[in-house]
DNA sequence: CATAAACATGAACAGGATTAATGGTTTAGA
DNA sequence: TCTAAACCATTAATCCTGTTCATGTTTATG
């Protein structure tokens, strides 16, 4: 009775990735013939053709494509398991892969990662930006172990832990007229240029929580990658932006900027750590969460 | 260079599940000695001990436990892949596993599954209730292929497709005084007994969307599994409940009940189908979604 | 203390996986 | 158009992995 093995998945992955059986054989430290035989065995035992000849190469059949997508999904998990397991022989070693879904997350994360790295010298930390992993899917696929995000998903199988509360404030030039007011109202932005990180409007709080509910808008909206550049432009009176208050406090000295709340209540957000509800995750992973929670206490 | 294989995962799983190496050998159609050798090979090549002797049995070390949880996660996926792949040889055959996260979902699903089964006689349909899978995790783990839920999660890697809109209405006895009013207000429920399915309050629309926002409450809250029983109790004037309007229409004849909107706008919900953003899912899976969407058109 | 249950070990074996050698197609390029 | 190179398939021989068999050791049980 045949069993699809990891080696079969590696086979189909390598052939597709490298284009030819010969190159795949090379990568897998096998002969071309070995691969050819393996293909035959796989296809006959499963009773399904995964490749067909096209010229002098092999191309995937629909069944093959399907198997490939599963291979692409599972193989990294095997690698991750091996990494994790080999950690058990050499002490506490391991790797913590953190995915981030928001810009302020990164700024906050930097503050937490530093003490963690110090406390766990044997643990590697990988910080993945949004485009390098697939959000929730990344968590479940074991591409990442921790998801840092402002949008929690409270569903079975997941745990989202609030670790940091902050207020989103409107950042303006220090001489800006708006600073006369105790807080900004949507209509105050009608003539302003909004500067933001390059993400969809639907994920910007100023739209979802401030402008859209009352049909407000801005004169212009410019998207910029870099926080410093954004602040520089605000300081130069080229626009306004929305950022966490604590981030602004840290740049007060450097830039000629001030901040005021959005609306009379202000926009309040939380950063959450999302983790899988795993049966016994590595200790350093739980410890990272604890450390983040301690940080929460420190940051009033 | 050693590779953790599926067979290794099967090994650790079987030993743990059956308790002894001997029984595991039995299940895997191997000799006890074969397993014993395999264990040794696995442990020496990975450089980690996964079992230690306890009396005359083997018990898992922490590393072993960790490997086991990964095994439990991955093995079903292999089985699923094999199932799916073998579908390619015998035509359109396959299995569609649908997970449900809400009670009205089930009622709705029944209507969709029937025509699907007729249209795809070679496809098996498994409908899993909430406690048999882990929601979103089930989707990503390939425990289920489609998640039926009223709470969509719009995140990368997932697609949630609205397939059915309905109104949650307050269901009362046909002689109930409230029926004089055009719609129910939160204070109307102060003296009522609320009947609901046995789920947490935080997932009941009447709380989250009706009572809690204004600090309302009910006199008493009883949780009951079965729709018919609930309706019987409402008919007997033993309480009120909240259900989709279309469900009530279907039971009008049978029970002495009537319905009225919750609040002046009513509570409006949608059922969504959640699927993985897979590269080419099986055809019958996409077809199921299409069928559900057609159903949407039929149900005004 | 005898017995059975359970796992470990060593030697021998079988068969599956690998390779080398060769042949058959296809394609690129002169 | 022809040749050489690139690529995959097949055969037969070989290797070596994983298996079994036989036996040993430890532990629980009555």
């Amino acid at each position: 009775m045949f069993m699809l093995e990891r080696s079969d998945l590696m086979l189909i992955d390598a052939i597709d990735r490298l284009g030819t059986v010969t190159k795949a054989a090379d990568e897998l430290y096998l002969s071309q013939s070995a691969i050819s035989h393996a293909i035959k065995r796989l296809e006959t035992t499963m009773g399904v053709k995964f490749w067909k000849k096209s010229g002098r190469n092999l191309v995937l059949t629909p069944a093959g494509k399907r198997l490939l997508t599963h291979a692409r999904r599972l193989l990294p998990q095997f690698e991750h398991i091996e990494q994790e397991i080999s950690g058990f022989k050499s002490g506490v070693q391991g790797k913590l892969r953190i995915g981030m879904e928001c810009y302020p997350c990164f700024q906050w994360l930097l503050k937490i990662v530093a003490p963690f790295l110090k406390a766990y010298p044997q643990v590697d930390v990988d910080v993945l930006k949004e485009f390098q992993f697939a959000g929730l899917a990344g968590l479940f696929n074991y591409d990442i172990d921790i998801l840092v995000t402002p949008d929690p998903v409270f569903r079975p199988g997941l745990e989202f832990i609030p670790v940091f509360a902050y207020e989103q404030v409107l950042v303006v030039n220090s001489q800006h007229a708006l600073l006369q007011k105790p807080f900004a109202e949507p209509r105050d932005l009608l003539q302003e240029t909004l500067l933001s990180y390059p993400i969809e409007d639907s994920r910007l709080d100023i739209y979802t929580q401030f402008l859209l509910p009352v049909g407000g808008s801005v004169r212009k909206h410019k998207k910029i990658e870099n926080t410093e550049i954004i602040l520089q432009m605000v300081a130069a009176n080229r626009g306004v932006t929305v950022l966490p208050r604590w981030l602004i406090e840290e740049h007060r000295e450097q830039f000629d900027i001030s901040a005021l709340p959005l609306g009379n209540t202000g926009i309040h957000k939380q950063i959450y750590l999302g983790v899988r509800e795993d049966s016994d995750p590595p200790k350093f992973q739980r410890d990272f969460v604890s450390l983040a929670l301690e940080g929460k206490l420190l940051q009033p």
Side-chain angles (χ1 to χ4, degrees), chain A:
Chain A
M1 162 210 192
F2 177 73
M3 294 256 124
L4 193 64
E5 283 286 346
R6 178 189 187 182
S7 55
D8 298 311
L9 301 183
M10 297 187 66
L11 199 72
I12 196 168
D13 172 59
I15 294 177
D16 183 81
R17 201 157 29 76
L18 303 172
T20 77
V21 168
T22 314
K23 287 180 195 138
D26 238 37
E27 181 176 275
L28 300 173
Y29 300 106
L30 291 172
S31 67
Q32 171 268 127
S33 173
I35 305 270
S36 202
H37 279 117
I39 287 177
K40 194 170 193 177
R41 178 186 45 75
L42 178 63
E43 290 188 330
T44 55
T45 48
M46 303 251 343
V48 178
K49 280 213 124 338
F50 293 116
W51 293 270
K52 64 173 190 289
K53 283 203 90 146
S54 152
R56 57 185 177 190
N57 290 18
L58 294 182
V59 297
L60 291 171
T61 62
K65 283 198 186 125
R66 195 73 196 130
L67 185 57
L68 178 65
T69 69
H70 286 298
R72 294 271 157 84
R73 187 166 60 79
L74 290 179
L75 288 175
Q77 300 189 38
F78 272 96
E79 281 162 36
H80 176 236
I81 294 173
E82 284 177 338
Q83 273 201 4
E84 187 184 312
I85 292 297
S86 58
F88 279 87
K89 60 176 172 231
S90 48
V92 199
Q93 186 196 72
K95 188 182 244 180
L96 189 63
R97 295 157 312 164
I98 305 173
M100 291 183 322
E101 278 196 323
C102 65
Y103 277 84
C105 294
F106 186 63
Q107 314 286 340
W108 169 84
L109 192 61
L110 289 176
K111 305 185 156 220
I112 303 297
V113 164
F116 179 79
L117 284 173
K118 191 177 282 176
Y120 294 83
Q122 313 98 321
V123 176
D124 261 2
V125 174
D126 253 23
V127 176
L128 303 181
K129 298 258 178 79
E130 204 160 357
F131 52 88
Q132 294 169 302
F133 68 98
L136 284 184
L139 257 187
F140 286 116
N141 286 340
Y142 282 71
D143 289 334
I144 55 174
D145 303 305
I146 294 187
L147 178 65
V148 187
T149 177
D151 306 310
V153 177
F154 297 108
R155 292 304 204 80
L158 288 173
E159 206 175 337
F160 276 79
I161 304 142
V163 289
F164 181 52
Y166 62 95
E167 183 187 355
Q168 291 280 47
V169 290
L170 187 70
V171 189
V172 298
N173 177 279
S174 288
Q175 272 73 51
H176 201 288
L178 265 179
L179 289 169
Q180 306 302 324
K181 303 183 58 174
F183 57 86
E185 292 174 87
R187 64 165 168 273
D188 296 329
L189 299 182
L190 279 171
Q191 294 309 315
E192 296 289 345
T193 294
L194 175 66
L195 307 172
S196 81
Y197 295 119
I199 56 177
E200 313 132 56
D201 296 356
S202 64
R203 291 184 49 205
L204 287 169
D205 301 316
I206 186 162
Y207 280 110
T208 57
Q209 299 200 30
F210 192 65
L211 295 176
L212 285 184
V214 298
S217 66
V218 295
R219 190 170 64 88
K220 206 172 163 192
H221 184 175
K222 269 195 179 155
K223 299 188 173 182
I224 299 171
E225 266 284 343
N226 185 282
T227 312
E228 269 69 29
I229 305 285
I230 291 180
L231 292 178
Q232 222 149 53
M233 293 192 60
V234 172
N237 226 335
R238 301 288 211 80
V240 300
T241 189
V242 174
L243 285 172
R245 185 185 288 283
W246 61 272
L247 196 59
I248 299 309
E249 300 300 335
E250 289 183 0
H251 289 86
R252 261 270 169 72
E253 310 285 279
Q254 200 182 346
F255 298 105
D256 189 27
I257 54 176
S258 287
L260 72 168
L262 287 157
N264 58 348
T265 59
I267 294 182
H268 296 274
K269 303 278 290 182
Q270 299 231 54
I271 289 179
Y272 292 81
L273 294 188
V275 295
R276 297 177 293 270
E277 270 176 6
D278 245 356
S279 34
D280 68 349
K283 179 175 178 339
F284 59 80
Q285 182 175 316
R286 291 198 308 277
D287 289 347
F288 181 88
V289 176
S290 310
L291 215 97
L293 281 169
E294 284 173 35
K296 186 185 182 182
L297 300 179
L298 300 179
Q299 311 250 5

